[in-house]
């Protein structure tokens, strides 16, 4: 990868990641300001909780496999499998909401609003398959550009409709239409890029490499060409196995990753569930707002990690374990440094930042955020630990240790079930923050122990 391409990757990947992180803040503030407590609460739950849970079904934990797949499944396999998981996500959301409406737990209006938000998240899950393939073939910047444009346009249309109409359902419908429209537009361009890349890489694959003196870019092209060729031949050679069979096989291979991601969401959110159950809606709203910056830390760390994932997979594929470990160590140091900076910034500027949140959310929250600066600081530290745990998670996926990943998540999920409720019951919001930090540390230790 040349220097210009690497710079573009970093720039657009950063822009895309930050736009997603900031969109959560913007949409939350807009909803609370212009829709009122009831519809604002429906949005918050639909977007951050149920919508995100539905996203994990559409996503299915396939990304780590896809972006690090050298010589395995083809893009057609991944694309077909992702369509199936998105359809499954839609069915699960629809059935669940129909049951809640039928039993009187939800009004039809609330169910419809949350279904729209689920569709919004399913769109994110589908778009991810294109982003993964673009990263795998060396065009990460194109994926970042699409993500940035799509997110910004969806936020702008949601905000405009929300301010103009004061209607949650109209705002959600407009945002969903924008999401799918941008994806449809970009996917045609991406399909052409993928086809051209495969043809170019196949031609590059015929060249001879010169051992230790080989050019890194030429080697990467040859490896990717081999991956495309192997995937094509592998698909054609399987006797009696239709393309849909390959997709089902892929979904089975990703099964442990999916369950792991599903459990990961529970572990990550267990403190929020406990606050909602034990401390009520008002405190739950405060805690959720304090929790939002953790997504920025994770996405910033992810921006640091993403460009190196395919390169690390190639090192592992080559048997260069020392190079793999050295890259992993550098990334870990970078994430720890980022965490330290965020915690320091929180201690220095946290009260001021929380004061701005109080200003934006209105008089009803005066003094309630700044009074929880210590809780905020612990949550930020937990977010950094979670980002570091994710690095080791990706490494384990590259090592094909999906079952080990699942075991770690299963154990920590049980710990979350045991710890979160009592911690919140005894210590309130600080107990929730402490439980979150503890659980993230357990994930980190579990994944670190399993590294080679």
């Amino acid at each position: 990868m040349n220097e210009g391409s690497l710079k573009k990757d970093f720039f657009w990947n950063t822009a895309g990641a930050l736009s997603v992180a900031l969109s959560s803040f913007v949409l939350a503030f807009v909803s609370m300001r212009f829709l009122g407590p009831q519809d604002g609460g429906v949005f918050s739950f639909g977007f951050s909780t149920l919508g995100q849970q539905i996203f994990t079904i559409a996503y299915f934990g396939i990304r780590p496999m896809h972006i690090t797949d050298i010589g395995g499944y083809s893009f057609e396999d991944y694309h077909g499998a992702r369509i199936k998981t998105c359809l499954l996500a839609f069915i699960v959301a629809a059935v669940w909401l129909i049951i809640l409406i039928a039993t009187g737990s939800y009004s039809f209006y609330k169910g419809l609003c949350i279904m729209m938000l689920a569709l919004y998240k399913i769109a994110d899950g589908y778009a991810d398959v294109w982003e993964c393939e673009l990263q795998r073939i060396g065009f990460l910047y194109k994926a970042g550009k699409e993500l940035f444009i799509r997110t910004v346009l969806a936020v702008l249309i949601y905000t405009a409709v929300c301010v103009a109409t004061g209607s949650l359902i109209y705002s959600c419908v407009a945002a969903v239409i924008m999401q799918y429209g941008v994806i449809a537009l970009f996917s045609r361009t991406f399909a052409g890029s993928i086809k051209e890349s495969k043809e170019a890489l196949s031609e590059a694959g015929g060249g001879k490499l010169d051992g230790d003196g080989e050019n890194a870019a030429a080697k990467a092209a040859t490896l990717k060409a081999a991956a495309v060729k192997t995937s094509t031949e592998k698909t054609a050679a399987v006797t009696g196995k239709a393309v849909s069979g390959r997709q089902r096989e892929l979904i089975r291979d990703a099964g442990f990753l999916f369950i792991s991601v599903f459990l990961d969401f529970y572990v990550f959110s267990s403190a929020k569930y406990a606050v909602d159950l034990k401390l009520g809606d008002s405190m739950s709203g405060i805690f959720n707002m304090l929790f939002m910056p953790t997504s920025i830390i994770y996405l910033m760390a992810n921006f640091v990690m993403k460009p190196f994932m395919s390169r690390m997979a190639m090192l592992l594929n080559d048997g260069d374990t020392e190079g793999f470990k050295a890259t992993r160590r550098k990334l870990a140091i970078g994430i720890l440094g980022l965490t330290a900076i965020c915690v320091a910034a929180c201690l220095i500027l946290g009260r001021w930042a929380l004061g701005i949140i109080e200003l934006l959310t209105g008089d009803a929250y005066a003094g309630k955020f700044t009074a929880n600066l210590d809780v905020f600081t612990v949550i930020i530290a937990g977010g950094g630990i979670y980002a570091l745990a994710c690095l080791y998670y990706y490494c384990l996926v590259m090592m094909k240790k999906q079952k080990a990943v699942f075991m770690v998540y299963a154990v920590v999920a049980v710990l979350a079930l045991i710890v979160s409720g009592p911690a919140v019951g005894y210590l309130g919001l600080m107990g929730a923050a402490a439980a979150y930090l503890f659980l993230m540390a357990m994930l980190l230790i579990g994944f670190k122990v399993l590294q080679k």
Side-chain angles (χ1 to χ4, degrees):
M1 182 180 293
N2 59 50
E3 186 177 350
S5 179
L6 188 61
K7 285 181 178 178
K8 283 197 295 185
D9 281 351
F10 270 103
F11 176 81
W12 283 111
N13 186 45
T14 303
L18 287 178
S19 68
V20 171
L22 291 174
S23 69
S24 298
F25 283 99
V26 173
L27 292 173
F29 287 128
V30 166
S31 298
M32 289 192 306
R33 273 290 189 183
F34 296 100
L35 299 178
Q38 184 172 347
D39 278 2
V42 171
F43 173 84
S44 180
F45 176 78
F47 192 81
S48 301
T49 307
L50 182 60
Q52 193 63 26
Q53 195 79 61
I54 293 301
F55 169 79
T56 64
I57 300 174
Y59 175 78
F60 215 77
I62 292 176
R63 170 177 273 275
M65 282 181 60
H66 192 162
I67 65 175
T68 61
D69 189 349
I70 304 296
Y73 295 100
S74 68
F75 172 66
E76 290 74 18
D77 296 329
Y78 281 107
H79 185 257
R82 191 64 69 94
I83 290 175
K84 286 180 171 63
T85 61
C86 287
L87 180 60
L88 176 63
F90 172 79
I91 293 171
V92 169
V95 170
W96 179 242
L97 290 170
I98 287 170
I99 291 172
L100 291 175
I101 293 170
T103 57
S105 299
Y106 280 7
S107 66
F108 177 79
Y109 171 78
K110 180 176 180 180
L112 186 60
C113 289
I114 293 180
M115 190 67 222
M116 287 299 104
L117 292 169
L119 285 172
Y120 184 101
K121 292 293 186 177
I122 290 171
D124 285 339
Y126 172 71
D128 182 71
V129 74
W130 293 97
E131 294 164 13
C132 288
E133 184 65 11
L134 289 169
Q135 180 174 355
R136 181 164 71 153
I137 64 175
F139 293 115
L140 179 60
Y141 73 92
K142 290 188 177 183
K145 187 182 293 186
E146 183 273 341
L147 180 60
F148 174 78
I149 293 172
R150 175 163 53 87
T151 302
V152 169
L153 288 178
V155 169
L156 288 176
I157 192 68
Y158 179 93
T159 301
V161 175
C162 187
V163 173
T165 68
S167 167
L168 175 59
I169 187 63
Y170 291 162
S171 303
C172 290
V173 170
V176 168
I177 291 173
M178 181 61 73
Q179 278 268 81
Y180 285 93
V182 173
I183 291 170
L185 181 65
F186 272 89
S187 61
R188 303 182 107 190
T189 303
F190 290 162
S193 298
I194 291 169
K195 182 179 178 181
E196 291 173 10
S197 176
K198 284 185 177 182
E199 291 172 354
L201 290 173
S202 294
E203 292 176 6
K208 183 177 180 182
L209 298 175
D210 299 324
D212 294 336
E214 68 195 350
N215 179 270
K219 181 180 179 183
T222 302
L223 280 171
K224 289 174 182 174
V228 172
K229 182 179 179 182
T230 302
S231 295
T232 304
E233 291 176 347
K234 195 174 185 181
T235 302
V238 180
T239 305
K241 184 175 285 187
V243 173
S244 60
R246 288 280 297 165
Q247 294 165 8
R248 286 194 294 270
E249 182 181 304
L250 171 57
I251 290 172
R252 283 197 301 271
D253 286 349
F256 276 108
L257 289 175
F258 163 62
I259 297 172
S260 297
V261 169
F262 200 84
L263 291 175
D264 173 71
F265 183 77
Y266 169 70
V267 170
F268 185 80
S269 304
S270 61
K272 292 193 285 186
Y273 295 144
V275 169
D276 184 62
L277 181 64
K278 292 183 174 293
L279 302 182
D281 292 338
S282 178
M283 296 302 286
S284 179
I286 292 171
F287 189 73
N288 274 279
M289 191 64 72
L290 293 171
F291 213 85
M292 279 189 176
T294 60
S295 63
I296 296 180
I297 297 172
Y298 168 72
L299 287 169
M300 288 176 66
N302 207 31
F303 134 72
V304 173
M305 292 187 286
K306 263 186 182 180
F308 293 93
M309 291 294 101
S310 296
R311 188 180 307 174
M312 290 176 72
M314 289 179 185
L315 289 171
L316 208 57
N317 188 69
D318 272 351
D320 187 1
T321 55
E322 290 305 314
F324 175 82
K325 290 178 181 178
T327 305
R328 182 180 64 194
R329 183 167 53 252
K330 289 177 182 177
L331 288 173
I333 292 171
I335 294 170
L336 283 173
L338 175 63
T339 302
I341 291 170
C342 289
V343 171
C346 181
L347 291 171
I348 297 170
L349 303 173
R351 190 172 298 278
W352 170 78
L354 293 175
I356 292 178
I357 292 177
E358 291 175 358
L359 183 65
L360 292 171
T361 52
D363 294 339
Y365 292 94
K368 293 186 178 179
F369 286 104
T370 52
N372 286 292
L373 176 61
D374 52 349
V375 173
F376 185 54
T377 305
V378 173
I379 291 173
I380 293 298
I385 297 300
Y386 176 71
L388 184 56
C390 286
L391 167 64
Y392 291 116
Y393 161 79
Y394 277 116
C395 291
L396 288 172
V397 172
M398 291 181 211
M399 297 174 189
K400 311 299 182 186
K401 292 187 175 183
Q402 286 93 326
K403 291 183 180 179
V405 169
F406 166 73
M407 290 305 299
V408 172
Y409 275 123
V411 170
V412 179
V414 172
L415 283 175
L417 191 62
I418 295 171
V419 167
S420 299
V424 173
Y426 284 114
L427 298 173
L429 292 187
M430 178 51 77
Y436 171 67
L437 177 61
F438 168 74
L439 293 170
M440 297 307 100
M442 291 300 100
L443 281 181
L444 173 60
I445 292 170
F447 293 154
K448 183 68 172 68
V449 166
L450 293 171
Q451 302 291 307
K452 287 184 179 179

